[in-house]
Amino acid sequence: MTIKLKFAVTTLALALLAGCKTTPDVATSQVVNIPMAPMAPTADELKQEQKVVLLPFEISEQLHAIVAGNGYASLEQALLKAGNAVLERDIAAKMRSELLVAEKTGKYRTSGLQAADIAVMVKVVNADLGSSFSERDYWTDKKGKSHTTPAKCSFSGKTKMHVRAYRLPDMIPIGTYDFEGSASSSTETSNSKCPISTANAEGLIASATNTAIVENQFKLLNELVPPYYVIERRQVPGEQDEALFRTTLSSIKGAKEGMKVNFYRREMRTNPLTNEQSVEEVLLTSGEITNTIDGNGSYVLVEKAAEINKLMLGDVVKVEHDRCPEGYYSLLGSCHKSLSLF
């Protein structure tokens, strides 16, 4: 990096830091007594993990196997990083036939050690390869200088997966999502037939699959967010417009500084027509995880007194996943791998 660029980046960083508001210090804050939420979790619920079974992908063509292999590994890691407990692959494989039947009948009957809270089922819809040939081109720039663009073959790979998620054991639909991705490459050649090696073809499909997972996983993850809970409120004496809330969202469960989280209140609702009761989560407010994170929990900053005073012990905390996962940034509707400047 040049000295000028380093100076510009440093200047920008200092300017941004100067405009940032200081987060309250946990050490100088005091615990504030707040009421218990009407449907606060029990001690057992605080310890529970959300268990997800990711079934082996459904495939019907040879190239689909490339999608299935790469896609399963990527999606499994995304679910784990989001704080879910994912059942082992061999257990998922054993559960596959029964869950496919349950998808049609609406009831999953297995219970016990293999039971999961959520089932995720993926079907590879297509995996396509394409190519196009461009002849050698000659052109002249504004200064009259001649240029030659070599002949080349351009290759493209496209994949599409249909993802379904159900809440067990009643196979209640959570959502369906289409994951689509593409990748491209090119090589200089005069061969208009555009031959491509097996390794390069599989690499394109694998890259397209990775793009499909990276750019679409937030749709699924935001529906499958595990619940965490408020267990403490702290404030600096005399400060009314900001407070720290201790939550059970820990570093082990993926908590990171700057993550946005939403707070919900669980309420029992009764359908006036059927008298059936159900638990609903009502959005209260949002906050941002601070840099005070450990293996048991984290502190979330909430601002504005009116928002702070809504929250109770036992209220639900859920992460809101960005469109692009950690390590990627969004540009022109696509996710791109972040590069370190230093």
Side-chain angles (χ1 to χ4, degrees):
M1 180 181 286
T2 64
I3 294 176
K4 287 184 178 180
L5 180 55
K6 282 186 177 180
F7 177 77
V9 172
T10 303
T11 303
L12 176 60
L14 291 173
L16 289 173
L17 288 172
C20 291
K21 188 175 182 180
T22 304
T23 301
D25 185 6
V26 174
T28 59
S29 64
Q30 296 179 353
V31 176
V32 177
N33 290 325
I34 55 176
M36 190 77 69
M39 297 189 69
T42 63
D44 287 338
E45 287 175 325
L46 283 173
K47 300 175 184 177
Q48 287 177 356
E49 290 186 302
Q50 179 167 274
K51 293 181 289 186
V52 177
V53 55
L54 176 60
L55 296 194
F57 288 17
E58 301 170 59
I59 63 175
S60 58
E61 297 179 15
Q62 184 176 353
L63 278 179
H64 289 187
I66 306 299
V67 179
N70 288 273
Y72 191 102
S74 297
L75 193 53
E76 182 181 43
Q77 282 302 306
L79 289 165
L80 286 168
K81 288 181 179 179
N84 298 285
V86 181
L87 299 192
E88 295 178 4
R89 295 192 194 191
D90 59 339
I91 295 177
K94 292 176 183 177
M95 297 170 69
R96 180 179 180 178
S97 58
E98 188 173 352
L99 278 166
L100 289 173
V101 172
E103 187 176 34
K104 297 178 182 178
T105 62
K107 186 71 174 180
Y108 177 58
R109 306 184 187 285
T110 296
S111 60
L113 294 176
Q114 291 187 353
D117 302 301
I118 292 168
V120 177
M121 309 162 85
V122 183
K123 181 177 182 179
V124 181
V125 178
N126 62 47
D128 295 327
L129 284 169
S131 64
S132 63
F133 178 72
S134 300
E135 297 279 1
R136 180 183 289 122
D137 187 30
Y138 303 93
W139 55 282
T140 304
D141 62 24
K142 293 180 180 180
K143 296 181 179 180
K145 188 176 180 179
S146 297
H147 300 270
T148 301
T149 300
K152 68 175 183 179
C153 279
S154 299
F155 302 96
S156 63
K158 295 181 179 180
T159 62
K160 181 176 180 179
M161 292 161 277
H162 188 61
V163 183
R164 298 103 65 203
Y166 296 91
R167 197 167 298 281
L168 301 177
D170 295 325
M171 297 300 291
I172 299 171
I174 295 174
T176 59
Y177 323 88
D178 284 329
F179 284 21
E180 296 183 71
S182 61
S184 61
S185 66
S186 63
T187 183
E188 293 182 11
T189 180
S190 57
N191 188 342
S192 60
K193 294 182 179 180
C194 293
I196 184 172
S197 68
T198 299
N200 287 339
E202 292 181 350
L204 271 177
I205 294 298
S207 181
T209 301
N210 180 66
T211 298
I213 300 294
V214 165
E215 296 192 350
N216 294 281
Q217 64 183 38
F218 76 99
K219 303 174 187 176
L220 177 65
L221 297 182
N222 277 328
E223 293 289 347
L224 306 188
V225 178
Y228 302 97
Y229 303 95
V230 173
I231 57 175
E232 182 184 75
R233 167 176 156 183
R234 301 184 72 96
Q235 282 181 271
V236 174
E239 180 58 70
Q240 301 299 316
D241 291 330
E242 56 184 19
L244 294 170
F245 287 87
R246 176 73 171 174
T247 79
T248 57
L249 175 55
S250 66
S251 57
I252 298 172
K253 295 300 180 182
K256 295 189 184 304
E257 182 181 1
M259 272 186 171
K260 179 182 177 182
V261 301
N262 295 317
F263 294 87
Y264 298 85
R265 173 80 37 76
R266 282 181 174 167
E267 296 182 355
M268 185 68 73
R269 298 292 174 84
T270 302
N271 186 319
L273 300 178
T274 64
N275 287 324
E276 292 180 345
Q277 291 188 317
S278 61
V279 177
E280 293 187 11
E281 294 179 345
V282 180
L283 179 64
L284 299 174
T285 187
S286 61
E288 188 174 290
I289 297 177
T290 67
N291 62 359
T292 309
I293 306 168
D294 55 49
N296 294 313
S298 60
Y299 281 95
V300 176
L301 175 64
V302 178
E303 300 176 287
K304 296 182 181 179
E307 304 297 310
I308 292 167
N309 292 325
K310 291 179 183 178
L311 300 178
M312 299 181 182
L313 293 176
D315 277 336
V316 176
V317 181
K318 292 186 174 183
V319 173
E320 183 175 311
H321 293 280
D322 292 332
R323 185 185 181 282
C324 296
E326 182 183 11
Y328 290 80
Y329 65 93
S330 180
L331 179 64
L332 301 177
S334 299
C335 297
H336 302 268
K337 191 76 172 177
S338 299
L339 298 175
S340 174
L341 289 175
F342 301 96

